[in-house]
Amino acid sequence: MLIVYQMNDYKTDIREETETRAEDSVREPDMYKVLLHNDDYTSMEFVIEVLMAVFSKKYQEAAHIMLDVHRKGVGVCGVYTYEVAETKVEAVHALAAENGFPLRCTMEA
């Protein structure tokens, strides 16, 4: 019986150590801004369509971002985890190429 008691103590120590390590190692993922860049060829209407389709923006917000792109040269579409940001950048490039526009989209930390 003494052996069983020692095993229970041993298992309790392992569980406490594992829980402490798990709490210490959890952290928020890095976030990335997805940016659209101005060019002389992509239409404003297409930029709004991309913002609504890829980034789920309502028309008013999409128009505001499009005007930032047009006036400032760049507009922030949103902030996402790395994988989501990367997927959105690829989706923008695919839509732009499919429609014959050179729209450039990037991500930055």
Side-chain angles (χ1 to χ4, degrees):
M1 239 188 186
L2 182 61
I3 295 173
V4 172
Y5 179 74
Q6 287 178 346
M7 287 179 67
N8 285 341
D9 254 2
Y10 179 70
K11 288 179 182 177
T12 302
D13 290 344
I14 290 174
R15 188 177 306 118
E16 288 174 4
E17 183 180 325
T18 304
E19 288 174 0
T20 303
R21 247 187 297 159
E23 289 174 8
D24 291 343
S25 65
V26 175
R27 65 180 184 88
E28 294 293 317
D30 294 333
M31 301 301 279
Y32 293 81
K33 285 191 256 184
V34 177
L35 308 168
L36 283 180
H37 299 270
N38 192 31
D39 63 64
D40 294 332
Y41 303 102
T42 306
S43 71
M44 293 179 181
E45 293 81 14
F46 181 73
V47 173
I48 291 173
E49 288 176 22
V50 165
L51 288 163
M52 292 173 68
V54 176
F55 299 96
S56 302
K57 303 294 184 187
K58 296 198 185 298
Y59 182 83
Q60 292 290 11
E61 188 177 5
H64 180 74
I65 295 169
M66 178 275 299
L67 288 173
D68 281 347
V69 172
H70 181 68
R71 293 178 182 155
K72 298 175 184 176
V74 68
V76 178
C77 303
V79 180
Y80 307 95
T81 59
Y82 181 83
E83 291 81 10
V84 173
E86 186 177 45
T87 301
K88 292 197 179 281
V89 168
E90 290 173 5
V92 169
H93 287 154
L95 274 173
E98 187 177 297
N99 288 280
F101 290 112
L103 183 60
R104 191 166 149 243
C105 185
T106 60
M107 55 189 264
E108 69 178 31

